[in-house]
Amino acid sequence: MLLTLPDVLNKEELTVVRDLLARGNFIDGKLSAGDEAIRVKNNQELSASDELMAPLNNLVMGKLIKHPVYLAAALPLKIATPFYAKYGKGMTYGNHVDDPVMGPIGQRYRTDLSITVFLNEPEDYEGGELTIQTSFGDQTVKLKAGDAIMYPSGSTHRVAEVTRGERIVAVTWLQSMVRDPARRELLYKLSQARDILIDKPNGNEETELVSNTYINLVRMWADT
Ligand code: NI
């Protein structure tokens, strides 16, 4: 399932993030790439040791982990601190799948879902589309600043070459409590039905039935 997370960051927050990133020390993205990705990765990433990481993560992750669509659709167990990537003119990231397991020993997590948060406006650059292969064909994504896309980490994806301007994104990965994507999708749909019922005035029997079923299905399928 590909899902847009709208308005993870608002205009003011985006300005703060971009101002911080403008002062950051960016290094070759190949340094963080796995065996497969290193062949096709050509971008720049904020150095993990940069002192700007903490304020950036507080802002970006602070907003992302409270996003209602993220919570309902990902059912997250562990989420990584993001990479902040820049693609200048001529930069690209060819077809790859993301590494299956990330994190240092003792803090390993399986990557079920990948998230790209768009940090500048689509008009600011040409090219730079994220294309994700799905069973319904290729899906190409270039969202407005502040929005994010969430997609299966195991799906083959690429970033088209930037031909003008600069593409700025934050990318991160998460392990879901529910490993099976089909189960996760069912739970997401049921949670939407539950939200609609809960929003209706006067609680009723179907609200309780749907809500209790949702809660107990999460209990049945979640691993922590
Ligand atoms: Ni990737």
Side-chain angles (χ1 to χ4, degrees):
M1 181 170 49
L2 258 60
L3 207 57
T4 299
L5 311 177
D7 302 314
V8 174
L9 297 168
N10 64 30
K11 288 257 180 293
E12 292 73 34
E13 291 156 346
L14 285 164
T15 303
V16 173
V17 167
R18 286 195 295 254
D19 285 350
L20 286 168
L21 287 173
R23 295 195 272 124
N25 173 33
F26 279 77
I27 56 174
D28 188 346
K30 280 192 195 297
L31 295 169
S32 69
D35 293 341
E36 189 204 22
I38 200 162
R39 298 178 297 117
V40 290
K41 189 175 185 183
N42 173 17
N43 67 2
Q44 292 185 307
E45 286 169 352
L46 183 66
S47 166
S49 62
D50 200 297
E51 61 186 12
L52 301 174
M53 271 291 185
L56 279 166
N57 288 344
N58 284 342
L59 185 49
V60 175
M61 297 305 283
K63 291 300 297 287
L64 179 63
I65 62 170
K66 288 191 222 127
H67 196 283
V69 178
Y70 160 80
L71 288 169
L75 293 161
L77 176 64
K78 298 176 187 171
I79 184 155
T81 50
F83 281 79
Y84 298 89
K86 282 200 304 201
Y87 294 72
K89 191 167 184 259
M91 292 188 181
T92 176
Y93 197 159
N95 267 333
H96 67 282
V97 297
D98 293 338
D99 277 354
V101 177
M102 296 190 192
I105 290 172
Q107 298 169 51
R108 295 267 205 241
Y109 63 96
R110 185 186 64 242
T111 53
D112 293 319
L113 291 166
S114 305
I115 296 174
T116 298
V117 187
F118 291 79
L119 297 177
N120 64 338
E121 295 294 350
E123 309 83 78
D124 293 346
Y125 56 100
E126 251 155 54
E129 295 86 359
L130 172 65
T131 296
I132 301 154
Q133 294 179 6
T134 77
S135 47
F136 303 103
D138 283 3
Q139 303 283 322
T140 292
V141 182
K142 187 171 178 178
L143 300 179
K144 76 173 173 63
D147 287 358
I149 183 86
M150 188 160 72
Y151 52 100
S153 303
S155 60
T156 301
H157 54 276
R158 64 181 178 272
V159 177
E161 182 179 329
V162 171
T163 56
R164 178 186 61 82
E166 191 173 62
R167 173 188 195 259
I168 311 171
V169 292
V171 290
T172 191
W173 301 268
L174 69 96
Q175 178 172 339
S176 176
M177 292 186 287
V178 177
R179 180 176 192 161
D180 180 357
R183 288 182 177 178
R184 218 185 295 130
E185 191 165 348
L186 283 176
L187 288 173
Y188 179 49
K189 290 199 171 132
L190 192 54
S191 78
Q192 289 174 298
R194 176 185 183 231
D195 288 346
I196 291 168
L197 289 171
I198 286 173
D199 279 349
K200 288 191 173 168
N202 310 320
N204 53 36
E205 199 179 352
E206 61 262 32
T207 307
E208 187 181 321
L209 278 168
V210 168
S211 188
N212 290 2
T213 303
Y214 171 74
I215 290 165
N216 284 330
L217 268 179
V218 173
R219 195 190 326 276
M220 184 182 291
W221 288 343
D223 290 305
T224 58

